[in-house]
Amino acid sequence: MLDTKDFNFFESHNSFDFKGFLFKIIGCWKWFVLSLGITFLFAYNVNIRKESMYGMESLIIVEDQNNPFFTSNTSLVFNWGGTSDKVQTIITSLKSRSHNEIVVDKLQYYIKYLKQDEYFFKDAYGEVPFYVEIDKSKGQLFDKLIKITFLSPSQYKLSIDFGESTSASLIQYSDVTIKPVNVSGGEFNRVFKINESVDLPFLKFKLIIKPEAFEFTNQEYFIRFDDFNNTVANYRAIDVSTDAKALSIVRLQLEGSNKYRLVEYLNTTVEELKNIQLASKNQFANNTISFIDSTLIEMEGQIKNAENELKEFRKGKNILELEEEVGGNLLSQKLSGYDVEKDAINRKIAYYNLLKNYLEKTTDYSKLPAPSVAGIDDPNVVSNVSKLIVLSADRANLSYTVKNKKMFSEFDVEMESIKKVLLENIASSKSALSLNLSLINKNITKAEGEASLLPENKQEHIKITRNYNLKDKIYSTFLEKRSEAEIVKAANISDIKFLDPAKDIGGGLRGPKTSINYILAAFLGVLVPLLVIFVMVLIDNNVNTIEDIKKMTKIPVIGIVGNKVSDSNLSVFEMPKSALAESFRSIRSSLQFMYKKQQKVGAKIVMITSSVSGEGKTFCSINLATVFALSDKKTVIVGLDLRKPRIFDDFHIDNVMGVVNYLIGQKTINEVIQSTHIPFLDVISSGPIPPNPSELLMSDAMHEMIQELKAKYDYIVLDTPPVGLVSDALELAQFCDATIYVARQGFTKKGMLNVVNEKHKRGELHNISILFNGFSNNSKNGYAYGYGVYGEGYHNEKVKNKVWKKIINRFKK
């Protein structure tokens, strides 16, 4: 019964053999060459099939551009909250969906212009000699290649391959909707003239040749109508960042396969942002102008009526008489002055009431007019109203692009704090204005009392003149304020300036990273076989080296035998000067020394066994016996592997009679002995396979056969069954003077050596030695042993021509 410790895997793998691993790598160099070839070929194919990617960039600077016409009287202020806030707002805007939608729609980048390359469709925007004008309210064939072939400078053929499909999709860019449409299937072909409107159920456009285009006849191009939202999403990937050393400088970077498209998009997106920012900057002035215009329209009618009333009153009257009264003129001027002061106060109160109503009932303050239209020059009120307009406009813009509730809450908190301050300012200002208004009213009442002492015509003239002068003064004031607002608006400039616009000056290639792909290919080409070899070495439980045997057992190694050098197992006889023959001669010498040490006389018996079938037990038996026979010693090989008889084929004899026939009493010893063509070497084959091989080998007839063979031969070689599979070899060990256990390189399991150790310790196998068979010196199994230069010159070996040498020799012939 075998113990589990006989097959202890960890006992045989207590340390990693780095030296053996290194030689294993060297021996498998062809794997590395093959792996590197595959990975480099794959990298090459990846590189040539990838479209080149380019990177373009532009620089802009954000500044506080104050209006040179701004004065304390103008009171039209606009501020984005300082440069740092502007920069963050600009970065957010450039990456926002709404802004990129404006740019994409303006440039119509959802229309792709392509050209067939060797491995892919190349983005040919800017290179194609034409462009198409589409009606955005009409549906266009969605996500389908449309082939344009120019037949002449004035005609082209439009081709579409619908395949077997009878339906397609149309995209309408006015509202970005996709609808189905029926098609006839197959390939659609039709010839159109340049500048002719294409009116098909699935296409509505006009193809126009660029003025600079030439030599485009017989050229083929493709167009494709892509999804608008996906196109916008691609351009939202624009990289926008601030300079680490100058926070007011913003860097825009964009990557793509078409440099012309990248340059155009970068410059256009900045220009659009400048326009939007300048429009926001002019919002305050526009609100003021709009408010004044509406007021002036109303005032024009009032002043016209006042003027007509004054003219009617003066008809048929002596104007000089009405105006010659010095006291009356002074009184009239005093009342007109009081009226103007009262109107100014009333306009301020009316503006504060309007502002309060906005603050309490609405949330959109972007339409508020400037406080200056009412003559309010309080810096706190003017500044806070300006901030409130800006915050309201920014919040409205972000609501379409940002879904961050925290950002909106920050806007709301800041706007709420400004509203509270403004409401307090309104309350205090209205209180002061009410006091001033009461004083003016008292002065007007007093002056009107003085005027009541004048003649009736004089009083009426003063009344009509007061009304006219008031309307005229108000009208003039509003005209002055409107002119100020127009000056401010005309003088406003954007806070965004190009520091370095995008430009194609050559280069800019970002990918594919061919060098990185090749480096990665080299890394993988080495790593994959290295890992495979490492795993193979790690899980390899075979005996590969002498060191493996020495680690596993204290049983001595009697010799090392290489692979056979002939087609048959008779390697020693066929090539007696080979290194293999010398190996067996060395084993013979070791056996003779062992017999001499044992003071053994007469016939010597050696048993050859192994762990399992396939380790070369029969090969070693034949060649060891041949070595004895070549030294003129009468030798016999006895085939005792009754289950798998093999020893007869190489000697060209039959297996009709053998050991089995002798053991069952059918034949005598002389009848089962067969001579061979090798002098002094006879063979007794196993004979027919018996049903009870173990019982036959344990019978008394076996003892008699051994005794008879001892009387006839000098050396008896017993080819026995594997000791690891059956117990037959153990029964035969009692007849033997020496036992040779055959271990084959790369075949014998390390755990089987534990089996042999155990049997040796129990005394079941005595005088045992290990023969290391099938050793190869090509480094594949861990170490490179060989006979060196001396061996190569001394021995006669079959030299196998390398394949590459054969090719060279054939080429020379």
Side-chain angles (χ1 to χ4, degrees):
M1 184 78 177
L2 294 179
D3 193 28
T4 55
K5 67 181 180 179
D6 293 338
F7 299 94
N8 193 335
F9 177 82
F10 298 101
E11 184 180 319
S12 60
H13 286 77
N14 51 9
S15 62
F16 187 78
D17 188 359
F18 287 100
K19 185 178 179 182
F21 180 61
L22 178 61
F23 278 105
K24 185 79 172 179
I25 292 173
I26 296 172
C28 296
W29 63 270
K30 292 180 180 178
W31 291 16
F32 288 91
V33 172
L34 178 62
S35 178
L36 286 169
I38 293 173
T39 54
F40 272 99
L41 182 62
F42 182 77
Y44 171 76
N45 279 277
V46 168
N47 288 338
I48 64 174
R49 281 171 169 78
K50 274 192 174 181
E51 192 171 5
S52 297
M53 298 297 293
Y54 299 93
M56 293 287 129
E57 67 175 28
S58 66
L59 293 176
I60 59 174
I61 185 169
V62 183
E63 297 176 336
D64 278 323
Q65 297 290 351
N66 291 323
N67 196 314
F69 289 95
F70 169 73
T71 65
S72 59
N73 294 326
T74 307
S75 301
L76 293 174
V77 196
F78 187 90
N79 186 4
W80 266 22
T83 303
S84 60
D85 289 341
K86 290 180 187 178
V87 170
Q88 293 305 317
T89 303
I90 286 170
I91 291 175
T92 303
S93 298
L94 286 170
K95 296 177 72 68
S96 67
R97 178 182 56 80
S98 60
H99 175 76
N100 284 278
E101 281 181 353
I102 294 171
V103 181
V104 169
D105 186 60
K106 180 178 181 180
L107 297 174
Q108 293 190 351
Y109 274 3
Y110 43 80
I111 305 176
K112 292 296 188 295
Y113 298 89
L114 308 169
K115 191 173 183 179
Q116 178 70 61
D117 202 12
E118 185 177 0
Y119 298 106
F120 49 82
F121 284 97
K122 175 186 175 183
D123 185 354
Y125 182 78
E127 300 177 20
V128 294
F130 68 95
Y131 64 93
V132 294
E133 287 184 353
I134 66 169
D135 184 352
K136 294 181 182 179
S137 63
K138 305 296 183 181
Q140 309 293 340
L141 186 61
F142 174 62
D143 199 25
K144 200 80 172 176
L145 282 176
I146 303 168
K147 185 178 179 181
I148 305 294
T149 306
F150 288 98
L151 305 177
S152 69
S154 61
Q155 284 187 326
Y156 68 92
K157 183 173 73 171
L158 189 148
S159 305
I160 306 170
D161 186 7
F162 290 105
E164 298 180 358
S165 176
T166 57
S167 66
S169 299
L170 299 183
I171 184 167
Q172 188 171 303
Y173 289 110
S174 59
D175 55 4
V176 197
T177 57
I178 298 176
K179 301 176 181 178
V181 62
N182 294 326
V183 294
S184 58
E187 186 172 355
F188 174 86
N189 292 285
R190 186 173 295 182
V191 176
F192 292 93
K193 292 181 179 180
I194 299 228
N195 295 332
E196 178 186 357
S197 294
V198 176
D199 189 4
L200 298 172
F202 45 82
L203 281 178
K204 299 282 192 302
F205 68 79
K206 183 187 294 185
L207 188 145
I208 301 173
I209 296 294
K210 295 178 180 178
E212 66 274 14
F214 66 97
E215 295 182 1
F216 51 84
T217 305
N218 297 325
Q219 296 293 318
E220 292 182 354
Y221 300 95
F222 296 85
I223 60 173
R224 187 180 67 220
F225 295 97
D226 286 350
D227 182 65
F228 180 82
N229 292 324
N230 288 342
T231 305
V232 171
N234 291 335
Y235 284 100
R236 287 186 68 187
I238 185 174
D239 182 20
V240 186
S241 60
T242 57
D243 193 285
K245 297 181 180 179
L247 296 179
S248 61
I249 295 178
V250 179
R251 185 185 304 274
L252 287 74
Q253 298 183 85
L254 192 61
E255 291 187 359
S257 60
N258 186 287
K259 291 196 285 185
Y260 186 90
R261 191 189 291 270
L262 298 177
V263 169
E264 187 180 54
Y265 195 88
L266 286 173
N267 292 334
T268 304
T269 193
V270 173
E271 289 293 342
E272 286 298 315
L273 185 64
K274 287 174 64 178
N275 295 334
I276 294 172
Q277 191 264 343
L278 186 56
S280 298
K281 198 171 186 180
N282 289 329
Q283 183 68 40
F284 210 179
N286 288 332
N287 291 354
T288 301
I289 293 171
S290 177
F291 178 81
I292 291 173
D293 286 343
S294 62
T295 305
L296 287 176
I297 292 173
E298 182 181 351
M299 290 297 300
E300 284 177 355
Q302 294 179 7
I303 197 170
K304 189 174 181 180
N305 293 333
E307 185 181 4
N308 292 333
E309 185 180 2
L310 183 60
K311 287 179 180 180
E312 287 293 329
F313 178 79
R314 287 179 174 179
K315 283 182 180 180
K317 294 182 177 66
N318 190 345
I319 302 301
L320 294 176
E321 183 182 345
L322 292 173
E323 295 180 353
E324 69 181 0
E325 180 68 38
V326 176
N329 288 336
L330 292 174
L331 191 60
S332 177
Q333 292 176 6
K334 186 188 292 186
L335 285 169
S336 294
Y338 289 151
D339 287 338
V340 171
E341 290 182 24
K342 181 180 179 180
D343 180 75
I345 293 173
N346 285 329
R347 280 192 291 114
K348 290 180 181 179
I349 293 175
Y351 181 84
Y352 282 131
N353 290 333
L354 172 68
L355 181 59
K356 183 180 179 182
N357 185 59
Y358 258 95
L359 296 176
E360 290 178 347
K361 296 184 178 180
T362 64
T363 57
D364 182 13
Y365 313 111
S366 59
K367 303 297 182 181
L368 273 175
S372 62
V373 298
I376 298 173
D377 54 5
D378 185 346
N380 292 326
V381 175
V382 172
S383 176
N384 287 328
V385 169
S386 172
K387 290 180 181 177
L388 202 59
I389 292 174
V390 173
L391 290 171
S392 180
D394 287 349
R395 192 187 189 283
N397 290 334
L398 288 173
S399 64
Y400 295 102
T401 58
V402 178
K403 303 302 180 184
N404 189 340
K405 293 183 178 180
K406 182 180 179 182
M407 182 175 289
F408 287 132
S409 64
E410 291 175 356
F411 271 99
D412 294 338
V413 169
E414 188 174 357
M415 290 169 66
E416 190 64 31
S417 64
I418 294 175
K419 284 169 59 176
K420 289 180 180 179
V421 173
L422 277 174
L423 289 171
E424 291 177 2
N425 291 336
I426 291 169
S428 60
S429 297
K430 284 180 67 176
S431 176
L433 289 172
S434 297
L435 181 60
N436 292 337
L437 182 62
S438 64
L439 292 175
I440 292 295
N441 286 330
K442 286 181 180 179
N443 292 332
I444 291 174
T445 302
K446 183 179 178 181
E448 287 178 344
E450 295 176 1
S452 63
L453 300 176
L454 296 174
E456 187 176 346
N457 284 343
K458 196 73 172 180
Q459 292 183 37
E460 188 68 22
H461 183 261
I462 290 173
K463 179 181 177 182
I464 295 172
T465 303
R466 280 177 63 192
N467 184 42
Y468 175 77
N469 289 339
L470 179 61
K471 302 297 183 184
D472 184 63
K473 183 64 177 179
I474 295 172
Y475 192 82
S476 298
T477 301
F478 275 111
L479 284 177
E480 181 182 351
K481 295 295 182 182
R482 191 185 192 286
S483 297
E484 291 175 357
E486 289 285 2
I487 291 171
V488 171
K489 180 180 177 182
N492 270 339
I493 58 175
S494 176
D495 292 336
I496 303 169
K497 284 198 312 184
F498 267 120
L499 189 62
D500 191 5
K503 184 179 181 181
D504 180 16
I505 56 175
L509 184 65
R510 299 285 178 85
K513 303 291 186 181
T514 56
S515 57
I516 293 179
N517 287 343
Y518 285 127
I519 292 172
L520 185 62
F523 176 74
L524 292 176
V526 173
L527 180 64
V528 171
L530 192 66
L531 289 176
V532 172
I533 293 172
F534 178 77
V535 172
M536 289 175 60
V537 170
L538 197 64
I539 65 174
D540 185 13
N541 195 30
N542 296 327
V543 176
N544 295 313
T545 65
I546 296 295
E547 283 72 12
D548 290 341
I549 297 175
K550 291 179 179 179
K551 290 177 184 178
M552 298 297 299
T553 181
K554 293 184 179 180
I555 299 173
V557 178
I558 196 171
I560 301 174
V561 175
N563 291 316
K564 65 180 182 178
V565 294
S566 62
D567 296 332
S568 67
N569 286 328
L570 304 175
S571 298
V572 171
F573 178 74
E574 293 177 358
M575 298 190 70
K577 292 185 178 181
S578 64
L580 184 69
E582 288 300 322
S583 299
F584 280 104
R585 291 189 182 98
S586 176
I587 296 171
R588 180 188 63 188
S589 300
S590 298
L591 286 172
Q592 289 175 342
F593 176 78
M594 185 186 301
Y595 294 146
K596 184 176 181 181
K597 188 177 180 180
Q598 295 174 357
Q599 296 181 351
K600 180 68 177 177
V601 294
K604 287 86 173 175
I605 303 176
V606 58
M607 181 176 73
I608 312 293
T609 188
S610 64
S611 300
V612 293
S613 179
E615 291 175 311
K617 171 175 57 64
T618 300
F619 170 77
C620 292
S621 300
I622 292 173
N623 286 283
L624 182 60
T626 303
V627 168
F628 285 130
L630 291 177
S631 61
D632 297 338
K633 300 294 184 179
K634 294 187 65 177
T635 307
V636 65
I637 306 173
V638 184
L640 296 179
D641 190 354
L642 305 184
R643 292 174 175 80
K644 287 187 176 182
R646 295 179 180 175
I647 207 162
F648 53 89
D649 286 336
D650 295 289
F651 296 105
H652 304 292
I653 59 177
D654 56 49
N655 191 37
V656 177
M657 293 186 301
V659 172
V660 173
N661 301 95
Y662 176 85
L663 294 178
I664 62 177
Q666 288 183 349
K667 301 291 181 179
T668 63
I669 192 66
N670 291 327
E671 289 177 331
V672 296
I673 294 175
Q674 300 186 64
S675 300
T676 67
H677 59 284
I678 301 175
F680 299 100
L681 180 61
D682 294 335
V683 174
I684 302 177
S685 63
S686 61
I689 299 174
N692 55 343
S694 296
E695 287 73 11
L696 290 177
L697 295 177
M698 294 171 61
S699 63
D700 293 337
M702 186 66 203
H703 288 264
E704 295 174 1
M705 186 180 73
I706 294 296
Q707 294 303 319
E708 291 189 47
L709 292 176
K710 281 184 176 181
K712 290 178 174 289
Y713 296 97
D714 299 315
Y715 287 95
I716 304 169
V717 178
L718 303 182
D719 179 29
T720 65
V723 70
L725 299 179
V726 293
S727 61
D728 297 1
L730 300 178
E731 302 298 335
L732 298 171
Q734 58 182 315
F735 306 117
C736 303
D737 303 309
T739 300
I740 294 178
Y741 173 81
V742 177
R744 182 178 175 184
Q745 184 187 47
F747 189 88
T748 301
K749 302 297 180 183
K750 293 178 180 178
M752 297 308 299
L753 293 178
N754 292 327
V755 176
V756 177
N757 283 336
E758 190 65 24
K759 295 184 181 300
H760 178 57
K761 290 178 182 178
R762 294 173 184 170
E764 296 174 356
L765 296 173
H766 57 279
N767 293 333
I768 186 171
S769 302
I770 295 176
L771 188 155
F772 196 31
N773 181 38
F775 187 83
S776 174
N777 61 353
N778 60 2
S779 304
K780 286 186 179 179
N781 293 302
Y783 289 94
Y785 292 98
Y787 293 93
V789 176
Y790 173 77
E792 291 176 1
Y794 183 78
H795 303 295
N796 292 334
E797 300 283 358
K798 279 187 177 180
V799 179
K800 295 183 179 180
N801 289 331
K802 299 289 186 181
V803 175
W804 62 271
K805 287 185 177 181
K806 291 180 179 180
I807 295 174
I808 292 175
N809 292 335
R810 185 179 295 274
F811 180 75
K812 287 180 179 180
K813 290 180 180 179

